[in-house]
Amino acid sequence: MDGDPKPAAAQYAYDIIRARILSGDLAPGERLTEQALASELDISRTPVRDAFSRLTHEGFVERGQGYSTRVASFPEDELEQIFEIRRRLESYAAARAAQFATADEVAQLQELCDRMAAHIPPKSAADHRIISTINEEFHRVIAQAARSPRLMAVLSLAVDVGMVARTYYSYAEADLVRSARHHQEITDAIAAQAPEWAENVMSSHVLAAAASAAKTESG
């Protein structure tokens, strides 16, 4: 087990644990132990520890008292705060992207919209993973197109990747259709160089995600 190449083993551990959190197999608040997961995955504890570190940074897991690690959970008030901060930052990013995005970035956003539409409605867990990954990439391109290193830095701290991904896994078909429609309209607004339009649609997009996340946590 200890002979596994570290990067490959750590990526393997990360992918499996992340997928189990997203599927609900590992529930919010559930305790995670390096030894148990290492044995289950047939790898050493070091790559599991590396995976925990990455998942903690992304908001999928959280450190408890002492050395305990648990699947992250989000109290309702914290959810509201996180999504409101995200709404304000990402709306501003979309407005700036409408001013500064290159033709290549607009084309990239359109390609991502087309790829997302091809997997909706999702027919498998693989489709859900693809949709979630495309969503993360879509928002990353917009942040990049905003041409503000300071905004990028703040977004990297404020946007909880784990929460965003878990929200996507909880979406009903109608939610996914709406989200894809928002992505297309945001792309249209950026292509039209219309900052206010882009800002308003992004605001609606994040508010819809917040409502879905609150419904999932309360359910």
Side-chain angles (χ1 to χ4, degrees):
M1 289 192 299
D2 292 326
D4 293 336
K6 182 179 176 181
Q11 183 65 45
Y12 170 69
Y14 168 83
D15 289 341
I16 295 297
I17 298 168
R18 184 182 193 269
R20 290 182 63 187
I21 292 172
L22 288 172
S23 69
D25 183 44
L26 294 172
E30 184 170 343
R31 187 176 180 186
L32 306 172
T33 64
E34 291 177 9
Q35 185 60 57
L37 284 165
S39 297
E40 183 179 337
L41 300 177
D42 194 27
I43 55 177
S44 67
R45 292 176 61 174
T46 299
V48 174
R49 188 179 305 123
D50 291 342
F52 279 180
S53 179
R54 182 175 172 187
L55 290 162
T56 299
H57 176 72
E58 293 181 348
F60 286 98
V61 304
E62 58 191 4
R63 301 291 184 181
Q65 293 183 342
Y67 295 99
S68 67
T69 301
R70 299 181 182 277
V71 178
S73 57
F74 308 101
E76 185 175 349
D77 180 63
E78 184 180 0
L79 269 178
E80 292 174 0
Q81 291 180 52
I82 290 173
F83 273 101
E84 180 59 16
I85 292 168
R86 181 186 161 201
R87 183 186 69 82
R88 296 186 184 209
L89 291 174
E90 293 212 57
S91 296
Y92 178 53
R96 285 187 60 86
Q99 299 174 69
F100 302 113
T102 65
D104 284 345
E105 286 167 336
V106 172
Q108 191 175 357
L109 290 172
Q110 185 58 59
E111 179 188 8
L112 291 167
C113 286
D114 294 341
R115 284 172 53 199
M116 178 175 279
H119 292 276
I120 294 175
K123 298 178 178 62
S124 65
D127 280 339
H128 272 290
R129 287 195 297 272
I130 291 168
I131 291 168
S132 178
T133 300
I134 291 172
N135 179 68
E136 291 173 26
E137 178 68 7
F138 182 86
H139 287 269
R140 187 195 66 76
V141 173
I142 289 175
Q144 172 186 299
R147 297 292 179 274
S148 172
R150 186 177 298 275
L151 178 58
M152 281 279 284
V154 175
L155 276 168
S156 70
L157 294 173
V159 176
D160 192 313
V161 176
M163 180 183 292
V164 173
R166 284 160 65 177
T167 299
Y168 252 75
Y169 267 68
S170 71
Y171 274 10
E173 183 177 326
D175 296 323
L176 289 170
V177 170
R178 182 186 60 241
S179 179
R181 188 171 64 244
H182 284 160
H183 279 203
Q184 184 60 64
E185 189 171 357
I186 291 166
T187 299
D188 291 343
I190 291 172
Q193 299 182 318
E196 187 174 354
W197 180 15
E199 182 175 7
N200 287 337
V201 180
M202 180 63 83
S203 179
S204 295
H205 180 58
V206 177
L207 285 171
S212 179
K215 179 175 61 178
T216 299
E217 291 297 319
S218 64

